[in-house]
Amino acid sequence: MGYALLAGAIAAEVAATTAMKYSEGFTRLWPSLVTAVGYLVAFLLLAQTLRTVSVGTAYAIWSGLGTAAVVAIGAVFLGEGLTVAKVAGTALIIGGVVVLNMGGAH
């Protein structure tokens, strides 16, 4: 159940971060509200996740998958460039998450 909650927390955080792009510096109401609610939901779900998943593992997965998802959304939907450096950096982040999990972080 902890990993399902973590997946929800990541989805909420990614949605909030994407909405923040559309908020134009919190000058647009609806994207700003989606950002605030998204982060609130994300942190509530993350807090519940930490009941059953170790903090190191949860945070590594949260940050790694969240970063990778936002990079992909930026490239596919927001017209942001996808350079070799971005792909390599994202791969290193995901690799780090895998190493932490294989190394007994949980």
Side-chain angles (χ1 to χ4, degrees):
M1 184 65 170
Y3 288 100
L5 291 169
L6 183 56
I10 293 167
E13 188 266 337
V14 168
T17 301
T18 304
M20 189 185 308
K21 170 73 174 173
Y22 290 105
S23 76
E24 296 179 12
F26 295 112
T27 61
R28 296 181 61 215
L29 177 62
W30 292 111
S32 298
L33 288 175
V34 170
T35 299
V37 170
Y39 280 120
L40 178 65
V41 169
F43 282 109
L44 289 172
L45 291 173
L46 181 61
Q48 294 303 309
T49 298
L50 296 179
R51 290 177 157 193
T52 58
V53 179
S54 71
V55 69
T57 298
Y59 195 75
I61 294 169
W62 157 287
S63 60
L65 293 182
T67 299
V70 170
V71 168
I73 288 169
V76 174
F77 298 107
L78 302 176
E80 297 177 358
L82 191 60
T83 64
V84 172
K86 279 187 180 182
V87 172
T90 303
L92 286 169
I93 291 168
I94 292 171
V97 169
V98 170
V99 169
L100 279 171
N101 282 303
M102 290 175 51
H106 50 310

